[in-house]
Amino acid sequence: TGLNHLLTVSGLHLGLVSILVFWLVRFMVRMSCPLLLNRISANHIAVPPALACAVIYAFLAGFGVPPIWRSVLMLAVCYGAAFRYRSPDPLTMLAFAALIILIHDPNCLWQISFQLTFTCVLAIVLIYPMLRNLKLSGKVRKLKGGRIPAWMLSQFEDAFLICMAVSILVLPLTVFHFNGFSL
């Protein structure tokens, strides 16, 4: 039916669906059953529905595509840590997800989609925090003329710095696999 074109899925979409359900369930539990929170946390209650919605969304869009099940795996690892009251360490989660995928299919290591996926996330985890020192929005309250608040600039700076971090780490893979790169 072409449903997968309507519901184009990436890790971002799965994450957005999942976090939206997580926030909604947590909010509803806090508003409707505050006494229940004496025995169990709202986060504990919100994790299973959030993960279930991400899995359902992934199945609707075609779960067989590797980027989709890689994203579901990362969400499951992240929510598993949250469910056990642990703060998820990005490098550990990334390594665990890669290990699970490589145990399932060791040939994934040579696929460009696997390499790009994990390299991009690694760049966001390792390089982006170092580049955040370059942000101007925290140093100026308003830009010239006083009309643009710094928080508006901050959103664009973050997006630009994340793209720059990913581009830096993905550049060797791009040159190797595609025999060139785009400015």
Side-chain angles (χ1 to χ4, degrees):
T1 63
L3 187 62
N4 61 344
H5 293 291
L6 180 64
L7 301 172
T8 303
V9 175
S10 69
L12 175 66
H13 296 113
L14 283 171
L16 288 174
V17 165
S18 182
I19 200 73
L20 177 68
V21 171
F22 179 82
W23 284 339
L24 286 173
V25 170
R26 194 173 68 172
F27 177 76
M28 289 177 5
V29 167
R30 287 179 178 174
M31 292 299 137
S32 63
C33 308
L35 294 177
L36 180 65
L37 299 177
N38 290 333
R39 289 182 273 140
I40 189 169
S41 78
N43 292 350
H44 240 92
I45 296 169
V47 163
L51 189 56
C53 283
V55 170
I56 290 168
Y57 187 74
F59 273 113
L60 284 174
F63 194 71
V65 182
I68 295 173
W69 58 268
R70 279 195 293 258
S71 300
V72 170
L73 177 63
M74 286 296 288
L75 275 172
V77 169
C78 185
Y79 278 137
F83 195 75
R84 297 181 54 84
Y85 296 108
R86 306 214 185 265
S87 64
D89 174 45
L91 289 176
T92 304
M93 287 187 344
L94 190 64
F96 182 73
L99 179 66
I100 295 297
I101 290 169
L102 291 173
I103 287 172
H104 174 69
D105 182 12
N107 290 327
C108 282
L109 183 61
W110 309 115
Q111 294 175 358
I112 184 65
S113 65
F114 177 87
Q115 294 172 5
L116 287 175
T117 298
F118 284 94
T119 303
C120 288
V121 175
L122 190 64
I124 293 169
V125 170
L126 293 179
I127 297 176
Y128 171 67
M130 292 186 282
L131 295 177
R132 288 177 74 186
N133 296 330
L134 301 175
K135 287 179 70 168
L136 296 174
S137 59
K139 297 173 178 62
V140 293
R141 283 178 115 16
K142 292 186 178 179
L143 297 178
K144 297 175 187 174
R147 292 204 165 100
I148 301 174
W151 64 267
M152 289 177 85
L153 175 64
S154 176
Q155 306 304 312
F156 292 104
E157 281 181 313
D158 282 333
F160 176 75
L161 292 175
I162 286 173
C163 287
M164 193 162 66
V166 168
S167 295
I168 290 169
L169 211 55
V170 168
L171 182 66
L173 285 173
T174 306
V175 170
F176 177 76
H177 286 286
F178 303 112
N179 300 320
F181 65 95
S182 173
L183 293 177

